[in-house]
């Protein structure tokens, strides 16, 4: 499981927890997150997230 | 901003714009300070910043009230102003900022070769990372602002149809 960080606001997407509020189940791999998913905090699109080392 | 079509802007209009920008910046800065204070466990300090930040919003609203008088502002006009602002951000501001960050990054790389001291080298590398991150951030924000502009445009189109 990896984590990804929003380039603008620093929000972390953790594959282990997913993002249930947007219907993204726990354990959802980053590549399976819909391309049009946007950072819930600042609106930056998935394409602009960066992988964070864990 | 208001009176944009006038070639010579009134000094007071300019001051109102500066005051609006200042109050807006203070609001966000205090919100940020409050966030950090709360993370540090200083809830009382966070509260002070949050309360002050709320007041800055009202100060900024006061300036906007003069810059964009309510009597002249319809929902459609508001959307047009918003579209203009977001369009400037994604077509000019962020692309330019990104370009300059990349350019500055290249210069920083050149400067790094001239530095022999380890400490300077570390500073230069940190600075380069900041520039790279800034360039990516500006690129990402340009796309967000474009979506905002489109969102406003759709709302404006709906208003015109209705």
């Amino acid at each position: 499981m990896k984590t990804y960080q929003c380039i603008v606001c620093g929000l972390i997407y953790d594959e282990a927890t997913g993002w249930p509020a947007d219907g993204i189940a726990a354990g959802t791999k980053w590549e399976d997150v819909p391309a049009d998913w946007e950072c819930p905090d600042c609106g930056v699109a998935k394409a602009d997230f960066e992988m964070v080392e864990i | 901003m208001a009176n944009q079509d006038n070639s010579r802007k009134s000094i007071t209009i300019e001051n109102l714009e500066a005051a609006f920008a200042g109050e807006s910046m203070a609001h966000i800065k205090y919100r940020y300070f409050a966030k950090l204070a709360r993370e540090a466990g200083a809830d009382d300090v966070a509260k002070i910043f949050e309360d002050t930040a709320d007041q800055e919003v009202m100060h900024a609203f006061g300036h906007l009230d003069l810059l964009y008088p309510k009597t002249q502002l319809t929902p459609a006009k508001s959307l047009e102003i918003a579209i203009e602002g977001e369009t400037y951000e994604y077509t000019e501001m962020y692309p330019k900022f990104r370009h300059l960050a990349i350019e500055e990054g290249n210069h920083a790389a050149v400067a790094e070769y001239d530095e022999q001291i380890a400490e300077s080298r570390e500073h230069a590398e940190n600075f380069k990372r900041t520039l790279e991150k800034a360039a990516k951030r500006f690129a990402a924000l340009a796309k967000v602002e474009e979506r905002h502009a489109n969102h406003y445009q759709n709302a404006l189109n709906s208003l015109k149809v209705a």
Side-chain angles (χ1 to χ4, degrees):
Chain A
M1 293 281 122
K2 292 173 184 166
T3 57
Y4 293 80
Q5 185 169 39
C6 174
I7 187 74
V8 170
C9 75
L11 176 127
I12 303 273
Y13 175 81
D14 185 344
E15 290 182 339
T17 49
W19 206 271
D22 289 340
I24 299 168
T28 302
K29 291 259 176 222
W30 183 242
E31 57 257 38
D32 297 327
V33 170
D36 61 356
W37 188 68
E38 294 170 7
C39 172
D41 281 356
C42 78
V44 154
K46 181 191 171 191
D48 300 314
F49 273 46
E50 288 218 322
M51 190 164 63
V52 168
E53 289 179 18
I54 44 170
Chain B
M1 284 277 167
N3 294 4
Q4 218 162 28
D5 37 349
N6 294 353
S7 54
R8 276 191 313 164
K9 225 183 239 181
S10 134
I11 186 69
T12 298
I13 293 298
E14 281 183 357
N15 287 343
L16 281 168
E17 289 177 356
F20 167 63
E23 299 285 2
S24 302
M25 283 190 279
H27 166 72
I28 305 284
K29 197 189 288 171
Y30 295 159
R31 289 262 306 271
Y32 177 68
F33 287 167
K35 182 172 96 91
L36 296 189
R38 211 168 278 288
E39 282 170 13
D43 282 354
D44 47 343
V45 177
K47 183 82 170 55
I48 293 172
F49 278 124
E50 281 158 2
D51 289 347
T52 319
D54 286 348
Q55 292 186 357
E56 307 292 0
V57 174
M58 301 320 291
H59 302 170
F61 277 5
H63 301 318
L64 285 176
D65 182 50
L66 294 177
L67 288 168
Y68 299 108
K70 200 159 91 176
T71 48
Q72 297 168 21
L73 213 57
T74 60
K77 180 72 186 150
S78 302
L79 286 167
E80 281 164 11
I81 293 167
I83 290 164
E84 193 187 331
E86 302 283 339
T87 302
Y88 163 73
E89 288 178 358
Y90 86 82
T91 58
E92 291 180 49
M93 188 177 85
Y94 282 128
K96 181 176 145 204
F97 286 0
R98 176 173 182 249
H99 170 75
L100 292 174
I102 291 168
E103 212 167 66
E104 196 173 3
N106 294 340
H107 293 159
V110 172
E112 200 186 323
Y113 294 129
D114 299 334
E115 299 286 351
Q116 297 301 322
I117 309 159
E119 197 186 352
S120 303
R121 190 181 187 85
E122 196 181 311
H123 288 166
E125 278 167 12
N126 285 342
F127 183 50
K128 259 186 78 184
R129 268 196 294 278
T130 299
L131 292 173
E132 281 163 15
K133 196 166 185 182
K136 283 183 191 168
R137 187 169 292 184
F138 292 146
L141 281 169
K143 291 181 204 159
V144 177
E145 307 303 2
E146 183 173 10
R147 280 201 294 278
H148 287 174
N150 291 338
H151 193 199
Y152 287 138
Q153 187 64 56
N154 292 340
L156 183 58
N157 294 346
S158 314
L159 271 186
K160 283 174 177 167
V161 169

